[in-house]
Amino acid sequence: RQILEVARELFLARGPTVATAVIARQLGISEGSIFKRFRTKQRLFIAAMGLHGPKSWGTELDQCVGTGDVRHRPF
């Protein structure tokens, strides 16, 4: 849960291009520890943002347009 919280915070602050090395450093763990739990950065992003999968996340975000600050949506 801590990985997801920090990853979400950094994805929202810096965008989806934030390096997994930055996320790992913030957590005080190795980058390999992240990839042991989430095989890809895409899977980490989907989990951290509370989305249902790679095909649906764009649709879910599109539905948020005009509904306020996306950083405060639980998805």
Side-chain angles (χ1 to χ4, degrees), residues 3 8 12 23-24 27 35 42 55 58 62 65 69 71 74:
I3 292 172
R8 179 181 171 87
L12 289 171
I23 296 168
L27 288 159
F35 287 115
Q42 181 182 25
K55 293 182 181 178
D62 284 343
V65 173
D69 191 335
R71 292 176 290 189

Side-chain angles (χ1 to χ4, degrees), residues 7 12-13 20 24 26 43 45-46 56 60 63 66 69 74-75:
L12 289 171
T20 52
Q26 182 78 20
R43 287 183 181 204
F45 179 80
I46 289 167
S56 67
E60 291 183 41
Q63 293 172 355
D69 191 335
F75 290 102

Side-chain angles (χ1 to χ4, degrees), residues 11 30 32 46 61 69 74:
F11 284 136
S30 71
I46 289 167
L61 289 178
D69 191 335

Side-chain angles (χ1 to χ4, degrees), residues 13-60:
R14 300 185 186 186
T17 60
V18 66
T20 52
V22 172
I23 296 168
R25 188 171 32 251
Q26 182 78 20
L27 288 159
I29 62 174
S30 71
E31 195 173 9
S33 295
I34 291 174
F35 287 115
K36 188 173 185 179
R37 173 68 178 91
F38 305 95
R39 288 190 276 167
T40 66
K41 183 176 176 182
Q42 181 182 25
R43 287 183 181 204
L44 172 62
F45 179 80
I46 289 167
M49 300 309 289
L51 304 172
H52 300 294
K55 293 182 181 178
S56 67
W57 74 273
T59 302
E60 291 183 41

